[in-house]
Amino acid sequence: MQWQTNLPLIAILRGITPADAHDHVAAVLDAGFDAVEIPLNSPQWEQSIPAMVNAFGDRALIGAGTVLKPEQVDRLAEMGCQLIVTPNIQPEVIRRAVGYGMTVCPGCATATEAFTALDAGAQALKIFPSSAFGPDYIKALKAVLPADVPVFAVGGVTPENLAQWMKAGCVGAGLGSDLYRAGQSVERTAQQAAAFVKAYQEAVQ
């Protein structure tokens, strides 16, 4: 399995509003990101996601996070959403999204959950919350997973510790509060995005 984008870092813009979305998405894409997730517990995501797909869908994988139900996948497909990220393993959500041709990165914590997700068709896995398990746990989990499955660390990843997650076998990471917090300035988002891109480039050298 091959991850869909050039840079395996997912910008998680939790809590972003439709008014702020364009400028912050533009900032992370300008820094080098090409995957963006707007979680469904963000205000008025029904406006933000289709607007970002229309504005940036040709430059990046634009998607939704905290997707919990198959019906939500149906709505997101109508919006042109390309990426589905979940906090849990719900096989029908995964199967539905795969049926639409979407990239699916569900959240799991155990080998059982990981293989359930892969059996349902997931193309990538996110280990969540990574900070609660640590790099050694991911390294052990990776030992039993198919070698070509892209694994993302999500939860507690910073520019300072990104390299240790990648050393443990992650292809990249999903970046939440250390990249974006609701209400922060576009300048702050751009600064953090650049710091993560630099940390990734240094980790793979």
Side-chain angles (χ1 to χ4, degrees):
M1 290 180 229
Q2 188 69 40
W3 179 243
Q4 297 282 316
T5 69
N6 294 321
L7 182 76
L9 298 177
I10 303 171
I12 304 169
L13 306 183
R14 188 177 303 281
I16 199 150
T17 63
D20 288 344
H22 188 281
D23 289 349
H24 287 271
V25 172
V28 299
L29 297 191
D30 288 346
F33 280 70
D34 50 6
V36 176
E37 165 198 337
I38 295 177
L40 297 193
N41 54 4
S42 303
Q44 298 171 293
W45 60 267
E46 303 95 329
Q47 293 178 36
S48 300
I49 291 174
M52 294 308 98
V53 168
N54 291 336
F56 302 110
D58 58 341
R59 288 177 59 191
L61 205 58
I62 305 291
T66 320
V67 180
L68 302 173
K69 299 175 183 173
E71 315 74 276
Q72 293 173 328
V73 178
D74 294 335
R75 289 191 66 190
L76 291 161
E78 289 170 10
M79 296 173 179
C81 187
Q82 303 151 293
L83 172 67
I84 296 291
V85 183
T86 75
N88 63 337
I89 300 304
Q90 172 56 264
E92 186 49 39
V93 166
I94 297 169
R95 282 193 289 267
R96 189 77 59 94
V98 170
Y100 284 118
M102 296 168 164
T103 297
V104 191
C105 186
C108 61
T110 66
T112 299
E113 291 176 343
F115 282 104
T116 299
L118 295 174
D119 287 345
Q123 305 98 332
L125 299 170
K126 79 172 195 184
I127 309 302
F128 176 79
S130 289
S131 56
F133 298 108
D136 287 345
Y137 180 86
I138 291 179
K139 194 172 181 181
L141 187 59
K142 278 281 294 179
V144 299
L145 293 175
D148 62 342
V149 175
V151 172
F152 289 78
V154 180
V157 182
T158 67
E160 293 73 30
N161 69 25
L162 176 61
Q164 72 183 30
W165 298 108
M166 294 180 62
K167 194 174 176 185
C170 293
V171 68
L175 309 167
S177 57
D178 214 71
L179 172 66
Y180 174 81
R181 291 176 189 266
Q184 77 181 22
S185 68
V186 176
E187 290 74 22
R188 170 71 179 168
T189 300
Q191 180 184 6
Q192 287 303 97
F196 273 112
V197 171
K198 182 169 181 277
Y200 173 79
Q201 290 167 341
E202 289 174 353
V204 295
Q205 277 176 357

